[in-house]
């Protein structure tokens, strides 16, 4: 799969927030990445559709974590999109 569009600042911020590991909700991601909820949801949607993060439902809440592909993208491409 090739990337037809670049990562925007919000997507990089979300990937960086998930980079150290762990599973975060959209609310936690917004706080960690210093983004609005709208920008965070939009970034999560785009990253998820690209397979860079994965989500799961727990107790009625979605939680997100970075995938191996997301880690590779962040380490090789993320630095160019800041």
């Amino acid at each position: 799969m090739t990337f037809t569009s670049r990562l925007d600042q919000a997507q990089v911020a979300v990937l960086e927030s998930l980079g150290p590991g762990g599973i975060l909700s959209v609310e936690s991601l917004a706080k960690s990445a210093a983004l609005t909820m709208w920008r965070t949801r939009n970034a999560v949607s785009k990253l998820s559709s690209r397979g860079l993060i994965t989500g799961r439902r727990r107790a009625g809440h979605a939680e997100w974590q970075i995938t191996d592909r997301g880690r590779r993208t962040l380490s090789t491409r993320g630095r160019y999109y800041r």
Side-chain angles (χ1 to χ4, degrees):
M1 172 186 234
T2 60
F3 291 101
T4 57
S5 63
R6 300 171 65 158
L7 296 176
D8 63 26
Q9 287 181 325
Q11 292 170 357
V12 172
V14 168
L15 284 178
E16 287 177 338
S17 294
L18 291 170
I23 301 169
L24 297 174
S25 66
V26 172
E27 292 83 8
S28 297
L29 283 169
K31 289 178 186 175
S32 176
L35 298 170
T36 63
M37 288 295 289
W38 185 88
R39 287 190 74 198
T40 305
R41 284 188 192 108
N42 191 31
V44 164
S45 175
K46 289 178 181 178
L47 293 168
S48 176
S49 69
R50 292 174 128 177
L52 302 178
I53 63 174
T54 185
R56 65 179 180 173
R57 280 243 181 251
R58 253 182 108 162
H61 298 288
E63 298 175 331
W64 300 93
Q65 69 185 94
I66 195 167
T67 62
D68 290 337
R69 182 178 183 181
R71 287 186 197 287
R72 287 191 306 273
T73 299
L74 182 60
S75 68
T76 59
R77 297 176 183 230
R79 64 179 171 258
Y80 301 114
Y81 302 111
R82 292 183 192 164

